[in-house]
Amino acid sequence: MSAPTEEISLTPIHVSELPLVSEMAAQIWPSVYSSIISSDQISFMLDWMYSPETMQQEISREGIVYHWITLQERPIGFLAVGPILPDTASMLHKCYILSEEQGNGHGTTALNKLSDQLREADVTTLRLRVNRKNQPAIHFYQRYGFETESEDLLDIGHGFVMDDYIMALTLS
């Protein structure tokens, strides 16, 4: 059953909470990616992308904003977006919900709230990368209105690549 929209909120994440984001990512990623990429790549990417130091640099140097996706004030996921500048495209860098909370409309509600915030900031487009083998996520984003713009194969080092679609949603 879907939670009413008002029960889902986006709550800014303070830098002191970044270790909790790392913990949640470590809980979510294996269930999302174990059938898509190797466990070695999952570990590498978690260490690379979700260290508190990396996320703190994204916040301070790149203008990326992290939010908890909360259900009745309890974190059930997180997202990261930015930079957020008028008359530009913004990137949705991260958007994850705990597996037991998926399928209840929480992701759609969170994206609705994020899209509203971005429109208020005069952001024109929201882009994201999604693994080309992550069919559930691709279908979710397509249902939401994202369209595939391109494909990208990015060498991330240590023999690993990110094989993604770049998808975009027009906000204006």
Side-chain angles (χ1 to χ4, degrees):
M1 174 170 231
S2 272
T5 299
E6 62 272 5
E7 292 183 9
I8 295 292
S9 60
L10 299 181
T11 306
I13 294 176
H14 187 271
V15 286
S16 65
E17 298 175 294
L18 293 176
L20 299 174
V21 175
S22 299
E23 290 175 20
M24 188 176 278
Q27 182 180 353
I28 293 170
W29 267 56
S31 64
V32 172
Y33 293 109
S34 63
S35 65
I36 299 172
I37 58 177
S38 71
S39 60
D40 287 344
Q41 184 168 346
I42 291 170
S43 294
F44 171 77
M45 291 180 74
L46 284 170
D47 290 344
W48 169 48
M49 297 168 61
Y50 288 98
S51 73
E53 297 79 19
T54 297
M55 291 184 286
Q56 188 168 357
Q57 286 179 4
E58 290 175 340
I59 293 166
S60 63
R61 293 183 187 163
E62 298 174 37
I64 295 173
V65 179
Y66 280 76
H67 285 91
W68 291 117
I69 299 169
T70 61
L71 172 61
Q72 299 174 338
E73 300 181 23
R74 178 179 57 88
I76 61 165
F78 60 90
L79 60 80
V81 63
I84 300 171
L85 302 168
D87 301 318
T88 64
S90 201
M91 188 75 172
L92 180 60
H93 297 276
K94 299 167 175 61
C95 185
Y96 293 98
I97 293 181
L98 293 168
S99 59
E100 63 269 18
E101 297 293 346
Q102 293 178 8
N104 296 313
H106 304 327
T108 299
T109 301
L111 277 181
N112 286 341
K113 290 179 181 281
L114 176 63
S115 296
D116 289 346
Q117 288 179 10
L118 295 174
R119 280 186 195 95
E120 288 176 24
D122 293 322
V123 172
T124 59
T125 306
L126 181 59
R127 286 196 174 85
L128 59 84
R129 300 179 74 96
V130 61
N131 186 294
R132 292 185 333 141
K133 294 180 183 174
N134 190 345
Q135 290 302 314
I138 292 166
H139 291 301
F140 169 77
Y141 290 124
Q142 287 172 333
R143 281 191 311 271
Y144 194 80
F146 282 85
E147 294 182 5
T148 301
E149 281 188 336
S150 62
E151 298 177 14
D152 187 42
L153 185 63
L154 179 64
D155 184 340
I156 58 173
H158 300 275
F160 301 123
V161 297
M162 289 175 35
D163 188 9
D164 295 331
Y165 289 125
I166 308 299
M167 299 182 80
L169 175 70
T170 301
L171 297 172
S172 53

